[in-house]
Each structure stands twice: as structure tokens, then as C-alpha cells.
Amino acid sequence: MKNHVQWESSLFELIRRTSVDLPCDIEQGLRRACKTEKKSSRARWILEALLENVQKARDNDAPLCQDTGSLIFYFQVPVGFDTNALASATRLAVARATRLGYLRQNTIDSVSGSACATNVAYGAPTFYFEQCARGTVDVRLLMKGGGCENVGKQYSLPAESLGAGRDLEGVRRCVLDAVVSAQGNGCAPGILGVCIGGDRATGYECSKSQFLRKLDDKSPVKILARLEDRLLKESKVLEIGPMGLGGNTALLGLKIGSMSRVPASFFVTVSYMCWAFRRRGAVLTVRGGFKKWLY
Amino acid sequence: MALLKPRRLEYPFTPEQVGSLRAGQFVLVSGLVYTARDRIHKYFFDGGKSPVDLKNAALYHCGPVVIRKDSDWVVRAAGPTTSIREEPYLPRIIKDHGVRVIIGKGSMGKVTEGACKAGGCVYLHAVGGAAQVLAEKVVSVKGLYFGEEFGLAEAMWVLELKDFPAIVAIDSKGHNLLRRVKSASLRMGRKLMKSSDPFIP
Ligand code: SF4
């Protein structure tokens, strides 16, 4: 690829910004939530601390949370574009962001237990490439924390213990169960990404890709939009609240997608992303130049 | 619950100070705390000696990001890490060393409740992920132990705090706010599932 330097520098800027600057839709979500909690309540106080943290991270140009998570890149490229070169430029950018402290050394060899100095290893970062009929490269980045990753859940329907059958009411029950079992342990308030269908692997992929949606959008599928709405309302009456210390803001948002499935399987997969919702994206030229931010 | 007036806690954390705290209260912690993660807990649990006197001290579940600036250490990020991993070790450490305050995040179970009750100890919940806000509450780094053996993230850092905010999650009577919230949400969850209003397309 030509312009390797240009690519690396645009991708580095994307990583830097993702790490230190919470997207505007999420910050507004926190602000709205803050207003709904009682004055001088624990919930309100925690949300205020989170908002202060958002401002400080931006001002100090320092990571929002010390767990800078796992990095997931979603690329949409023109047909025939050299994605190998794009991946290697991205790896360079990740290594530099680690060197400069925008990313913690957060990649562990699962067999030896040793930490990797650059955050570039097998499976780190993760890439998705899609070819599109367009003349630009769209890149989106999620930095997914470990604490919230640990509270994700996958259900196989029917799930007797929940009385959950193979229908949308069954899906609703799974999601309610996931919210209750997560409590505040994924650093609530979080955002849920849900996938109906798929297999065990694609279910999680699809549930995570829901995090690319803006907080205030609605599913284009009417019935799913209704389910999103209802579950978000129901999450409030569980009184889990920020950090699981009580209040009505357990979730800032809830996004549901669906995939086809085989007749024998019916999975419902729930991913949880913490309040430190690090998601940014940019439109780049085919030479790696910056055009505009997507979020 | 009136929260407006936070309780101030200052090192050394006396049994009286700590004993009067109640689950749900909001506290501001000042003075020395010692960071401890998995390696340190395991080491103490196995009978390892502490290089400092932990009587009436606080253990903070945190792997801070600390950088060297000239001859000083500067804390860049200092949020809590998930505490439940240390739960099996806590009763013994609290008993052997007289630790009086645990600071961390996330749900803790019966084992910690029992250990708090037996040892007159409290579990304080810090604000998860608020790395920048909390780093500002660290006024200085007073020392470093086990840096070579366990690595800097797993080491025991001696931090001096000023008005570090937290919420009493388990008090020295064993009352557990997180458990209370969880039980109520479980009940409500079951109620929502039983409701005569299933989701129908
Ligand atoms: S869950 Fe999110 S906010 Fe909490 S520690 Fe992990 S990355 Fe940070």
C-alpha cells in the first residue's frame, strides 16, 4: 500500500480519540440519566462522577478507563482494496498508541500468561473487513473492556428455568435475566447488544456489532424497536442502578439485531458494554487521508 | 437515605471509625492505602510476610497506571478492579493482618460479609472505570513493594489519598448493600416474567 505513514497516522488518531473521548451520544445519555435520578442519591452521585471522568479524560488526553479493552476494527473498503496492508498499518498504529500510553499493555498470552508489550498478537486487534461499492474507507473501532465482557451471556431456547420459549417473549425473558445477572458488575450503566438467532459464534459477533448503532437510533424492524423500548423501560424498575448500588439507571440503551438460524437452534446472545463506551469511527480516503468522523 | 454529608475516613482506620459506618453511606477516604491484586492476595494467603504493618490499614483492589517522572512516581490512572476474584483470600488476610478496609468494585458474597463481620472490616465500592477522577485523588506515591517479583501492575503501591470517594457496600455488621439490590432485582425480574403481559408481536 502506498502512503503507509498517512494510514498509520489516521488510524493512530482514531485509537487515541476512542480511548480518551467518550462519544457525544453516550455522554448525552449519561447526562439524561443523571437528571432522572434523585438528588443526593447514590445513583446521581455516581453518574456525576462518571461525567466528571469523561471531562477529565478529554482534558488530560488520558484513557477514560485504565482497562483499554480489546480492540475491534470494522472496515468497509472499496472492492479490490488491499486489506492486508490495511491490517498491517493498523497494527503499527496500535503499537504506537500502546507506546504512548493511550492503550494499556492489555494483551496476555493465554498459555504462558505473559503480557505483550505492543498489544499486537494473534487475535489482537480483531478485524472485520467488508467490501462495498464506494470510493472511501469507513473504519469503526470498539474498545471493549474486560469487566463488561465477562457479564455477557448466551441462551439456547427453549430455556426452561426462565419459561422462555422460541418466540419474542422468550427473547424478552432472556434479556431480563441477563440484566439481572449482570447487576452492576459490568460497570453499569451499560448498553446491551442483543442478537436473536445466528450460531454460537456469529451470535456474539452480531450482538457486539449492535454497539456500532447510535444510542438514540431505533431498530428499523418495527417489532424489534418495540421490544427494545419495552426492555429498556423494564430495566429501570429492576432498581439495579449505576454500579449495582441502586437507582433506575442500569442501562443507557438496548439494541437488538437478528440473524437467520438453523431449525434446530435458537440462540439469544447478549453482550454488555460498560458506561466507558469507547466507540469511534471515521471516513478515510483511499490514500488514508481523513475525511470526517462517523460519531 | 441522606447522602449529602459524606463520612470522612482517615488512616489509620480505627475500629471505632469503621464500626460506625453503615452500608449505603458515602465516604471520602484520606491517608495511606495499599494496592493489592491477585498476586499479593495469593502471597499473603499462602502465609507470605507483609513488608508493612497492615493493622488498621486499607487494601485497594487496583492496578494503577504509574509512570516515572524524574525521580517521582506519578499516577496516571487508578480505578478499582473487580474484587470478587480476591474473595476466597480475604477472610484469612483480614484475620492475619488486621486489615480494616477493603476498597474495590463489584458484587461480593457471603464469604466477604462473614470476614467483615468477624474482623470489624468494611468493603467500600469505588466508582468503576473512573480512572481519571480517582487518579486525581492520589496525592502522592509513598512506596512500592514487590515491583520486581510481581510486576508493576500487580505490585503493592503505597498511595496517599485525599478525599477518595466510595460507597460502603458491606459494613462491619455484615450488611451487604449489593446483595440487597440484587435480591430486590431478582424478585422484580421474576415478577416481570410472570406478568400477564407477555411480549406479543
Ligand atoms: S467494565 Fe468498562 S469501565 Fe469497568 S473497568 Fe472494565 S473497561 Fe473500565
Side-chain angles (χ1 to χ4, degrees):
Chain A
M1 176 163 49
K2 281 190 205 131
N3 309 302
H4 217 83
V5 174
Q6 166 100 68
W7 273 105
E8 194 267 351
S9 104
S10 293
L11 291 162
F12 169 81
E13 177 54 17
L14 173 69
I15 299 167
R16 186 198 67 78
R17 185 142 190 231
T18 310
S19 179
V20 309
D21 192 356
L22 195 75
C24 171
D25 55 333
I26 309 296
E27 190 175 358
Q28 273 169 1
L30 283 170
R31 251 180 241 295
R32 275 199 303 270
C34 203
K35 289 205 187 100
T36 69
E37 300 284 2
K38 281 197 210 74
K39 278 219 174 85
S40 79
S41 64
R42 285 187 291 273
R44 176 91 167 228
W45 173 76
I46 291 168
L47 291 169
E48 278 168 4
L50 298 181
L51 282 163
E52 192 189 334
N53 196 71
V54 170
Q55 193 53 49
K56 290 222 157 93
R58 200 173 279 144
D59 293 350
N60 301 349
D61 192 33
L64 276 154
C65 176
Q66 68 235 359
D67 181 358
T68 50
S70 48
L71 275 65
I72 313 171
F73 287 91
Y74 300 84
F75 283 102
Q76 291 176 322
V77 299
V79 177
F81 196 84
D82 182 356
T83 52
N84 286 346
L86 192 50
S88 73
T90 311
R91 291 190 188 100
L92 283 177
V94 168
R96 177 148 74 103
T98 308
R99 227 166 32 243
L100 295 181
Y102 293 109
L103 300 175
R104 169 173 89 171
Q105 287 181 9
N106 220 26
T107 307
I108 308 293
D109 184 298
S110 300
V111 177
S112 71
S114 57
C116 153
T118 55
N119 281 318
V120 177
Y122 183 60
T126 301
F127 294 103
Y128 293 100
F129 295 105
E130 189 188 350
Q131 297 197 354
C132 294
R134 64 167 68 134
T136 54
V137 174
D138 288 13
V139 49
R140 291 172 170 81
L141 168 60
L142 289 178
M143 287 169 55
K144 177 84 178 54
C148 56
E149 183 69 1
N150 290 345
V151 302
K153 259 188 143 184
Q154 189 166 62
Y155 300 83
S156 174
L157 296 186
E160 218 190 329
S161 62
L162 300 173
R166 293 183 150 194
D167 52 21
L168 290 178
E169 169 60 14
V171 173
R172 169 180 166 256
R173 285 164 184 246
C174 293
V175 175
L176 282 172
D177 179 73
V179 179
V180 171
S181 20
Q183 290 293 301
N185 295 330
C187 287
I191 286 119
L192 282 198
V194 179
C195 171
I196 307 172
D199 64 22
R200 291 219 180 256
T202 57
Y204 271 117
E205 270 173 12
C206 167
S207 68
K208 276 194 187 144
S209 68
Q210 300 305 311
F211 298 138
L212 300 176
R213 291 169 54 188
K214 284 226 174 124
L215 193 60
D216 45 13
D217 81 348
K218 277 196 187 317
S219 168
V221 184
K222 258 211 180 112
I223 185 69
L224 294 186
R226 239 181 73 210
L227 187 55
E228 287 175 351
D229 254 8
R230 171 154 174 190
L231 278 164
L232 191 58
K233 283 198 189 102
E234 289 181 324
S235 77
K236 294 189 202 304
V237 305
L238 295 170
E239 294 271 340
I240 292 169
M243 301 295 145
L245 293 165
N248 52 46
T249 317
L251 297 179
L252 294 176
L254 192 147
K255 307 281 162 197
I256 306 178
S258 79
M259 295 186 89
S260 60
R261 58 181 177 85
V262 294
S265 303
F266 194 131
F267 294 111
V268 177
T269 309
V270 182
S271 287
Y272 193 108
M273 184 115 150
C274 55
W275 72 267
F277 192 94
R278 286 152 295 176
R279 174 253 281 136
R280 287 280 175 184
V283 180
L284 306 175
T285 68
V286 285
R287 300 165 68 83
F290 177 83
K291 275 183 88 116
K292 65 169 194 192
W293 291 109
L294 284 163
Y295 304 104
Chain B
M1 192 174 301
L3 263 172
L4 276 178
K5 242 188 150 15
R7 299 282 306 265
R8 285 180 188 277
L9 262 190
E10 195 140 355
Y11 176 81
F13 308 104
T14 61
E16 296 72 44
Q17 256 195 93
V18 170
S20 69
L21 295 176
R22 290 294 166 264
Q25 278 174 338
F26 166 35
V27 293
L28 296 173
V29 185
S30 298
L32 297 189
V33 302
Y34 302 91
T35 70
R37 298 186 53 142
D38 311 60
R39 299 289 294 272
I40 299 274
H41 281 78
K42 175 92 171 61
Y43 168 82
F44 285 156
F45 185 80
D46 292 339
K49 285 217 165 16
S50 174
V52 293
D53 184 7
L54 291 175
K55 194 167 166 53
N56 294 333
L59 291 183
Y60 179 22
H61 296 160
C62 168
V65 179
V66 186
I67 53 165
R68 191 105 214 189
K69 211 169 181 184
D70 305 323
S71 61
D72 288 333
W73 292 107
V74 180
V75 173
R76 289 274 292 168
T81 184
T82 304
S83 295
I84 190 73
R85 296 195 307 269
E86 321 305 349
E87 176 157 73
Y89 305 123
L90 284 179
R92 176 136 190 204
I93 295 174
I94 291 174
K95 184 161 165 274
D96 289 358
H97 297 268
V99 172
R100 198 151 306 281
V101 176
I102 303 288
I103 308 173
K105 73 159 171 133
S107 299
M108 293 294 253
K110 286 228 153 64
V111 173
T112 307
E113 290 165 23
C116 282
K117 211 167 151 184
C121 183
V122 286
Y123 168 55
L124 305 181
H125 198 297
V127 185
Q132 295 308 318
V133 165
L134 299 183
E136 269 190 14
K137 309 296 179 186
V138 180
V139 286
S140 69
V141 177
K142 293 284 186 199
L144 166 66
Y145 298 99
F146 303 112
E148 300 224 321
E149 293 95 311
F150 300 156
L152 291 185
E154 290 277 339
M156 179 189 251
W157 292 92
V158 189
L159 307 179
E160 188 187 351
L161 306 183
K162 176 76 185 148
D163 293 340
F164 182 98
I167 283 166
V168 183
I170 303 179
D171 63 27
S172 57
K173 297 231 169 351
H175 298 307
N176 185 343
L177 170 63
L178 291 152
R179 176 195 294 287
R180 220 160 63 208
V181 170
K182 184 168 185 179
S183 311
S185 68
L186 271 167
R187 268 196 308 278
M188 188 42 97
R190 273 196 294 268
K191 209 165 131 192
L192 287 174
M193 287 192 210
K194 272 204 200 108
S195 84
S196 49
D197 180 23
F199 186 82
I200 300 165

